[in-house]
Every structure is written in structure tokens, then in C-alpha cells.
Amino acid sequence: MSPSSRTPGPRTAMTVLGSAPLDVLDAYRTCEFATLGKDGTPLAWPTAVARRDDGTLLLTTSLAFAQKALNVRRDGRVGLLFSDPTGSGLDFAPQVFVGGRAQCPDTVMAGPRGAEEYWRRLFERQPHSRAYLTRPMRPVMSWYYLRLLITVEPEVVVVRPPLAELPDLPVTAAPAGTEALPGAAQLAGLPTAVLAARDASGAPVLARTRPRPTAAGYLVEVPEDCPVEPGPASLLVHRHDELLDHMYNALVRGELRRTAAGWVVVPSSVVEPMGSGRASDALRVLRRTWRSTDRYLARRGLRRPKVQWDRFRALAEPGKESAPAGRGARPAAKGAPHH
């Protein structure tokens, strides 16, 4: 089925997702998650996902990075691409695109209830995040645990071969002057990027590609099963290590155009939400996360909830559960997440 076929039918989410290699999907530590901005631009960011038994997918976002949630509430059409197998233990993992519709209630979660597996996976796969639960770190990192839950109901699944199996492109020097293109430095730092574009219905579609700078913009490869249309688009670059540490991500916004040479993203701006990776960025990012969290709560007339530290620690430290039975008092299991 083409990613453009998104009309919900009698099929259940589990039926749709069942066409994907679920063991591979579960092994991925992160995916690229695209929502539609106010101006219709598909905006992709790396996040982590927990697959539920009913076939829906659970994501979370902190209040400090609530734009994904706000976008979902305005337009529920979303896309997810599982394409970076770093840390999965899979050498040649197929790429999996999932298109669907998302919902995000305006309920601020200060504890893990409803997302227990999600948090277990985080603490197991991202062990350094357990340090955020220590008493010295709590005053600094409490914003991180104030979350909104996003549930995606899959409507279409496309399985693609690993990028490593695609033909290599000839290595050519970037044309003179292209170093001044917005995003040139960010895209040059990694061999691939994720294209977020729209299909004929306006829904977001995603494909991992190898952008090549040209005088007109970034020439991108688009697989045949990714039916893009000209219009607003973006290119996401991100990386993390085997333990979901040393993360970096940047988004190059622009417009996708069809040219004689192929599809080209004409860049207009670059967003680096976590900074450029310099140590000096850390304090600035922390200040911004606190301000963004306070602003989200203030606009809704809400007081900052108290983080349920004991319940999070019960999931991070199996055997020391203090939560009541039925509220996450199970051994740790495998799984993922981020922001």
C-alpha cells in the first residue's frame, strides 16, 4: 500500500502494524517523527516509541518541547520512520515507515502511569538518564519528567531495504558557493538525512536520503514508495551512540521542488533545539527548557505538578519498586525514548 493511502478502514491498528517486522521495529532505539507545522511544513524530530499490544504506538514529549503535541492537536496526520539502527544490535535492519493519525490529550503527566513500558525502556536503553533521578539532579531536571502522551494509530506501513544495500553514489566535490547554503555545515557532518515532505493528500511522508549540495539547493533521492509532492519540506540530521547518549539533531527547513536533475530541497533556515553540541550550550538549553515549561503551564493556568520521583525510580531500579501493585511494579523490560 502506498503511504498516500491513509483513509481509515475497518482494519485495526494491530492489523496494519502487523505487516511490519515487529521484532525489528521494537529493536530500533529511535525513530524520526514528523508532524505538520502551522504553515503545513512537515517537521521531523528524533524520538523513541513504545509499541502497545493493540498495535498503537506511544510517544511522549516534555512540556519544554511541546510543539509536536500542539501540531498533533491541530492536525493529527503524522509519519514515523525507523531508519537509524544505532544501538539496536541489527547490522542490516530494514527501514520501516508508518503513516497514521495521532492524538495528544492536554493532560500533563508527572509520573509514569500509562507509559510504564516506555519509561522502563528508557532507563534500560539510556542508562545515563537514571542519573536525572538522583536528589542533586532533581531541581535541575524536573522539567524532563513533565510529559504529554502521544498515541499514534497506524494507517499504512511501508518496509524499505537497509540504506546500506542501496547503490553507492559517486563521490563528488561540493560545487563552489554551496557552503553558504543554510544547513551546509549540519548536513555535511553526517552521511545521510531524513527528508520530511508531503504526499498528494498533504500528509507527512519520510525517507532517509543522501543530500548532495548544488547551486539550487540539496539534491535528494526519493524512493518510489514515497510519493512526495512539491511544497514545504525539511531535512533532519541526528545522531546518538549505542546508549542513546551524545545526541545531536538539527532541522533544515525549506521547500521541495522538482527539477530537471531530480528533487531538490531549497533551504531557508536551520533549527538546532539542543544547540550545536558545544559545552557552552548546556546552560542556555536548560534555561530555555525551564522557560518553555513554565510558559506551557502558565498559558493553561496550571501550577507545576510535583514529579512522582518514587514511581520513576521504581521503574529505573528493578527490585526497589515502591509503587502499588498494578502500577508498574514489574521487572524491567526491553524498549526506548528521548525528549
Side-chain angles (χ1 to χ4, degrees):
M1 178 181 288
S2 161
S4 62
S5 302
R6 295 200 180 205
T7 303
R11 300 184 305 161
T12 65
M14 189 63 251
T15 302
V16 175
L17 199 62
S19 62
L22 298 182
D23 57 336
V24 172
L25 188 148
D26 290 343
Y28 271 97
R29 268 42 181 171
T30 63
C31 79
E32 295 85 31
F33 177 56
T35 61
L36 295 170
K38 270 187 179 180
D39 63 354
T41 301
L43 306 171
W45 294 107
T47 186
V49 180
R51 178 173 60 89
R52 288 171 163 162
D53 291 340
D54 64 358
T56 60
L57 301 173
L58 174 66
L59 303 86
T60 76
T61 186
S62 72
L63 302 189
F65 297 95
Q67 191 58 54
K68 292 188 289 291
L70 301 180
N71 290 346
V72 163
R73 292 170 190 163
R74 183 174 52 252
D75 190 328
R77 295 175 295 176
V78 299
L80 302 88
L81 181 65
F82 298 80
S83 66
D84 178 1
T86 302
S88 69
L90 303 174
D91 293 330
F92 296 99
Q95 302 176 67
V96 182
F97 170 79
V98 179
R101 292 184 181 271
Q103 294 182 345
C104 182
D106 196 7
T107 302
V108 178
M109 305 300 294
R113 185 180 180 184
E116 289 89 349
E117 287 299 322
Y118 185 89
W119 285 104
R120 284 191 188 94
R121 292 175 177 184
L122 172 62
F123 293 130
E124 179 184 341
R125 294 183 171 185
Q126 192 184 50
H128 77 270
S129 66
R130 300 172 194 166
Y132 302 162
L133 296 170
T134 60
R135 291 189 181 278
M137 291 294 291
R138 290 181 183 181
V140 179
M141 296 302 298
S142 63
W143 63 268
Y144 180 80
Y145 294 97
L146 300 179
R147 298 263 172 160
L148 301 167
L149 304 187
I150 301 173
T151 299
V152 177
E153 183 165 356
E155 295 178 351
V156 61
V157 170
V158 176
V159 181
R160 299 181 184 135
L163 197 65
E165 293 183 4
L166 300 180
D168 290 332
L169 296 174
V171 178
T172 58
T178 56
E179 65 276 2
L181 287 172
Q186 291 79 6
L187 292 172
L190 290 168
T192 63
V194 172
L195 169 68
R198 300 187 305 188
D199 66 14
S201 73
V205 289
L206 297 162
R208 187 165 283 274
T209 185
R210 290 171 284 204
R212 288 178 287 171
T214 70
Y218 299 106
L219 187 66
V220 293
E221 308 159 279
V222 180
E224 292 183 0
D225 57 20
C226 185
V228 299
E229 292 289 328
S234 61
L235 287 167
L236 167 69
V237 288
H238 71 98
R239 64 172 180 262
H240 61 79
D241 63 18
E242 300 285 326
L243 297 177
L244 290 178
D245 201 0
H246 300 101
M247 296 181 181
Y248 170 76
N249 54 75
L251 190 73
V252 181
R253 298 184 58 156
E255 181 181 354
L256 184 65
R257 298 178 184 174
R258 191 195 297 270
T259 70
W263 289 105
V264 172
V265 175
V266 181
S268 57
S269 62
V270 180
V271 182
E272 291 179 302
M274 302 304 290
S276 61
R278 296 186 299 269
S280 58
D281 290 336
L283 184 57
R284 178 177 57 83
V285 170
L286 275 176
R287 287 173 176 167
R288 190 173 71 236
T289 56
W290 271 91
R291 287 197 298 266
S292 298
T293 299
D294 288 340
R295 186 163 56 247
Y296 183 94
L297 294 169
R299 286 176 176 174
R300 289 156 181 79
L302 301 174
R303 299 180 63 182
R304 183 183 284 259
K306 292 183 178 180
V307 176
Q308 298 171 11
W309 299 106
D310 58 335
R311 294 186 183 274
F312 283 114
R313 290 199 64 180
L315 299 177
E317 302 177 14
K320 297 184 180 180
E321 292 88 345
S322 58
R327 293 287 181 85
R330 289 188 292 166
K334 294 183 178 181
H338 284 241
H339 297 8

